[in-house]
Amino acid sequence: MFALTFKYKVSQVEEILRRFLPSDVTQQRVIAEAMEYALMGGGKRLRPIFMAEVYELFGGTQEDEIQPFMAAIEMIHSYSLVHDDLPAMDNDDYRRGRETTHKVYGEAMGILAGDALLNYAFETACKAFETTQDPAKVGRAVRTLAEGAGLYGMLGGQVVDVAMEGKPLTEKQIDFIYRLKTGALIETAMKVGAILAGASDEQVETIGRIAMDIGMAFQIRDDVLDVEGDTEKIGKPVGSDEKNGKCTYVTLFGLEEAKKKVEEYSDRALLAFTILEEDTGRNEFLEELIVALIARER
Ligand code: FPP
Ligand code: MG
């Protein structure tokens, strides 16, 4: 997946993440290690990449403004995976081809590492206040980040996901869960990029809608991969949804229909994106990325 340019961008993001990791820890060192283990253990780094590309698309140029937010969104994503893997949630031992954080550091430290990443994400994002010419804009971006992660965003979706485990879902319920637990953070990533670059309110809304379609396609592809993916490529065992008695797009609509939905959401996102590009100019990398997600294998 994502030939050529993508690989290069992942390493760039990882350099940024490393720079923002906490360094002056003393007796709480173990949690800094667990945070690093969780954050630096691979992953596609999609959310910061989306954020940076959208920032560029709308003409953003200040690295010290966007980079704290790129690190922050990946910290939030990373915390969510650490907690999602805990015994009380999905109880998974492997992610990205390695043992999960609580497997390595114990359950209590796993919980605390997630908490630490979430808090530190906001400490990190707030670093943008130190250099910006426009604190109001940075404030709006911090607020968007908080909303996307919280009760009305990712966490809200996870709550319904957990509450409904083992129960059949209607299409309306599953869409609510997917839009929030997966769509919201991708939406936030792209909106923050647009806000920091000074896009208009209308453009921020448009990029948010595109991101939500990408998020839906992304999560439904996740369901497909859980059924017909390759354990080696995904880095965790397939069939975990079935193991956990989860109702997914595949259980609701079948494999072929689920794949069709992925394409529909991606096509809609791409169409809206190309219309937006009439104002902003093209970003072929983002176009290719949206298309590549349809067939992603990890
Ligand atoms: C994989 O992302 C993750 C998802 C598809 C999102 C699933 C949502 C949750 C686990 C929500 C959890 C929320 C809480 C509050 C615990 P990815 O394929 O980008 O992963 P990667 O970084 O490994 O590439
Ligand atoms: Mg889960």
Side-chain angles (χ1 to χ4, degrees):
M1 176 198 192
F2 314 134
L4 300 168
T5 42
F6 196 78
K7 183 103 188 139
Y8 174 62
K9 304 227 174 190
V10 167
S11 66
Q12 275 185 323
V13 172
E14 288 180 346
E15 252 170 61
I16 295 166
L17 293 177
R18 199 163 279 290
R19 251 196 308 112
F20 282 104
L21 275 171
S23 54
D24 48 355
V25 282
T26 54
Q27 294 188 47
Q28 75 279 52
R29 181 172 305 280
V30 63
I31 213 65
E33 280 174 27
M35 287 164 79
E36 180 173 350
Y37 180 83
L39 190 65
M40 302 310 296
K44 297 179 288 295
R45 312 304 188 187
L46 269 182
R47 294 153 189 82
I49 287 170
F50 273 133
M51 186 186 283
E53 293 292 334
V54 170
Y55 183 68
E56 251 183 63
L57 181 77
F58 287 107
T61 54
Q62 269 185 274
E63 288 188 347
D64 53 7
E65 182 176 74
I66 190 70
Q67 289 183 353
F69 282 91
M70 291 169 67
I73 197 124
E74 193 66 6
M75 287 175 194
I76 293 171
H77 167 59
S78 181
Y79 123 74
S80 81
L81 301 182
V82 171
H83 278 189
D84 192 58
D85 291 334
L86 285 169
M89 297 214 196
D90 286 354
N91 193 19
D92 281 320
D93 295 347
Y94 288 93
R95 173 169 300 271
R96 300 164 171 169
R98 306 182 314 161
E99 281 193 308
T100 43
T101 306
H102 71 271
K103 273 290 189 190
V104 176
Y105 291 90
E107 190 176 349
M109 287 302 163
I111 293 169
L112 290 171
D115 294 339
L117 279 167
L118 176 57
N119 277 290
Y120 204 68
F122 286 96
E123 294 173 54
T124 302
C126 285
K127 293 206 164 94
F129 281 116
E130 290 165 15
T131 51
T132 187
Q133 308 293 312
D134 188 349
K137 191 180 69 179
V138 172
R140 209 174 137 213
V142 172
R143 178 181 164 178
T144 303
L145 195 63
E147 286 170 352
L151 189 58
Y152 299 103
M154 180 181 70
L155 183 123
Q158 178 77 349
V159 166
V160 181
D161 195 34
V162 170
M164 295 303 289
E165 198 170 303
K167 300 190 182 93
L169 297 172
T170 63
E171 186 171 356
K172 203 169 157 200
Q173 287 168 321
I174 203 168
D175 279 4
F176 179 92
I177 293 170
Y178 284 15
R179 289 178 75 81
L180 269 62
K181 85 164 180 177
T182 306
L185 210 58
I186 294 174
E187 179 189 36
T188 296
M190 296 178 82
K191 275 183 158 181
V192 164
I195 289 167
L196 290 175
S200 71
D201 289 353
E202 197 191 327
Q203 286 171 324
V204 173
E205 281 317 302
T206 302
I207 205 74
R209 272 197 303 277
I210 292 168
M212 194 48 92
D213 279 349
I214 293 173
M216 287 299 289
F218 191 78
Q219 181 57 54
I220 300 168
R221 181 69 192 162
D222 229 56
D223 293 349
V224 170
L225 287 176
D226 193 70
V227 174
E228 62 163 32
D230 179 335
T231 296
E232 286 282 300
K233 286 184 188 149
I234 309 174
K236 59 179 186 182
V238 294
S240 85
D241 291 337
E242 200 182 336
K243 176 194 89 181
N244 291 326
K246 283 197 109 139
C247 177
T248 71
Y249 253 76
V250 175
T251 30
L252 265 184
F253 300 103
L255 206 49
E256 287 319 304
E257 197 58 31
K259 286 184 193 172
K260 232 163 72 191
K261 296 255 183 205
V262 174
E263 276 196 49
E264 278 168 22
Y265 275 115
S266 298
D267 286 350
R268 196 166 76 175
L270 190 63
L271 179 64
F273 186 69
T274 48
I275 293 170
L276 178 69
E277 282 176 317
E278 287 168 18
D279 297 331
T280 60
R282 280 184 77 180
N283 180 323
E284 289 176 52
F285 176 79
L286 266 178
E287 292 172 23
E288 279 171 29
L289 186 51
I290 295 170
V291 174
L293 289 176
I294 300 175
R296 74 184 173 100
E297 291 185 353
R298 69 179 181 98

